[in-house]
Amino acid sequence: MVLRPKVLLTRRLPQPGIELLEKHVDLSINPLDAPMSRQNMIMGIKDKGGVICLLNDRVDAKVIDAAKHLKIIANYAVGYNNIDVQAATKRKIPVTNTPGVLTETTANLTFALILSAARRIVDADRYLREGKFKGWAPMLMLGNDVYNKTLGIIGFGRIGRAVAQRAKGFHMKIIYYEPVRLSHEIEKKYSAEYKSLDDLLKESDFVTIHIPLVESTYHLISGKEFSLMKETAYIINTARGPIVDEKVLVKALKERMIAGCALDVFEREPEVEKELIAIPNTVLTPHIGSASIETRIKMALMVAKNVIAVLVQNGRAPNTINPKVYE
Ligand code: NAD
């Protein structure tokens, strides 16, 4: 009998991914519909050849060291700030993510948040449900327009560009910031103009963040950055919470340095700053950027294919973020 590779799945994923995996590997699935405790992860990973983890599983050197036979760490997300990639690379373990398949879905949520913040959709819904709607009124729930406004995109990668594509349909002026200016072709394709971060913050009516969380982007948006923004501007974050200094954001909102914010991600998830909840001009969603049925199935199939490529086909995982491990 041929022994099948053992894989730990830290939380149940959409069924098509599970079915594909179960054809090829011996799958241990966390039985709880809750994040796996650190202790259980360390115990569970010990005899496994692969682990499929989530963005809220901290896979650090201690977890990696506990797994003497580990050959792949497959993250069910495009961001991978939850994994100590350096420690994995040291052990020649490929780390994979799920790029591309969630781009459009996350861009859709970003645009929904832009519109919700500007047009007070959540606020208005709450008002109506509370029985306060007494008829059309000239000054009822006045928000701000989105069309013809300036959209500042921090991080013009896959999701940033997909947001720009949508903004074109709203006749927005698109400006972007990247550490290195992009080619003329890309700028032309998205009608996007390059700006320094400071200029982007000064000129934008909506600032939207689409960069990875790494050491250099931690608290990238803090006191100085909010002070540069227009009093009428909104900030939208669907990237990672710690990129924005949340305490300073609360202060900026309270002191009306900016008009409002829409956040899908938080600095200490799942904890959310109490004051952010209390402030009315915020739209807050529970990290649902990629949460469409279609996209979550694509992500599940993608992680499954990465695991199978390494553990079953003894090849390279198609979405490896540390390809050095194959050298
Ligand atoms: P990507 O790699 O295609 O794009 C990221 C871009 O940011 C790149 O172009 C990169 O050059 C740029 N960048 C890096 N550091 C920067 C900096 N300091 N300033 C400006 N630009 C910088 O990634 P993507 O697929 O577009 O995803 C972006 C991020 O969105 C992911 O890292 C992930 O954390 C987050 N995300 C969140 C959700 C969600 O559920 N809310 C869903 C998908 C992705």
Side-chain angles (χ1 to χ4, degrees), residues 138-204:
M139 306 303 276
L140 180 62
M141 286 284 157
L142 300 188
N144 286 287
D145 279 323
V146 171
Y147 81 97
N148 277 349
K149 295 286 176 71
T150 298
L151 176 66
I153 303 179
I154 303 177
F156 211 58
R158 287 173 294 249
I159 298 171
R161 290 177 210 186
V163 172
Q165 192 71 45
R166 284 152 179 76
K168 274 169 92 173
F170 281 78
H171 302 285
M172 297 183 89
K173 177 178 175 186
I174 299 158
I175 58 180
Y176 77 94
Y177 169 69
E178 273 276 329
V180 178
R181 185 173 176 172
L182 299 173
S183 69
H184 175 66
E185 286 69 39
I186 294 173
E187 291 184 350
K188 201 170 152 212
K189 181 172 175 194
Y190 295 96
S191 315
E193 205 180 308
Y194 177 77
K195 296 279 173 182
S196 68
L197 182 58
D198 284 4
D199 284 347
L200 178 144
L201 292 164
K202 280 183 208 160
E203 293 173 28
S204 299

Side-chain angles (χ1 to χ4, degrees), residues 118-282:
R119 295 302 308 272
R120 303 178 60 184
I121 293 173
V122 177
D123 215 8
D125 177 275
R126 202 180 299 127
Y127 176 91
L128 183 144
R129 284 168 202 272
E130 285 170 359
K132 293 179 181 163
F133 181 35
K134 303 293 179 213
W136 189 92
M139 306 303 276
L140 180 62
M141 286 284 157
L142 300 188
N144 286 287
D145 279 323
V146 171
Y147 81 97
N148 277 349
K149 295 286 176 71
T150 298
L151 176 66
I153 303 179
I154 303 177
F156 211 58
R158 287 173 294 249
I159 298 171
R161 290 177 210 186
V163 172
Q165 192 71 45
R166 284 152 179 76
K168 274 169 92 173
F170 281 78
H171 302 285
M172 297 183 89
K173 177 178 175 186
I174 299 158
I175 58 180
Y176 77 94
Y177 169 69
E178 273 276 329
V180 178
R181 185 173 176 172
L182 299 173
S183 69
H184 175 66
E185 286 69 39
I186 294 173
E187 291 184 350
K188 201 170 152 212
K189 181 172 175 194
Y190 295 96
S191 315
E193 205 180 308
Y194 177 77
K195 296 279 173 182
S196 68
L197 182 58
D198 284 4
D199 284 347
L200 178 144
L201 292 164
K202 280 183 208 160
E203 293 173 28
S204 299
D205 298 302
F206 298 88
V207 172
T208 184
I209 303 172
H210 302 288
I211 57 178
L213 172 62
V214 289
E215 231 172 82
S216 62
T217 61
Y218 175 80
H219 281 187
L220 181 76
I221 306 298
S222 191
K224 178 195 140 202
E225 289 69 32
F226 286 118
S227 72
L228 291 172
M229 287 176 66
K230 295 181 185 175
E231 284 178 10
T232 49
Y234 294 83
I235 188 149
I236 291 91
N237 188 8
T238 61
R240 284 291 181 266
I243 296 168
V244 175
D245 186 336
E246 232 167 62
K247 287 222 176 324
V248 178
L249 168 64
V250 167
K251 190 168 174 278
L253 288 165
K254 278 175 142 178
E255 293 177 3
R256 304 211 168 268
M257 287 164 75
I258 60 171
C261 74
L263 309 173
D264 184 47
V265 288
F266 303 90
E267 206 173 333
R268 282 169 288 277
E269 282 178 32
E271 220 180 280
V272 177
E273 222 20 84
K274 284 197 178 57
E275 286 181 286
L276 270 180
I277 293 173
I279 297 170
N281 46 342
T282 61

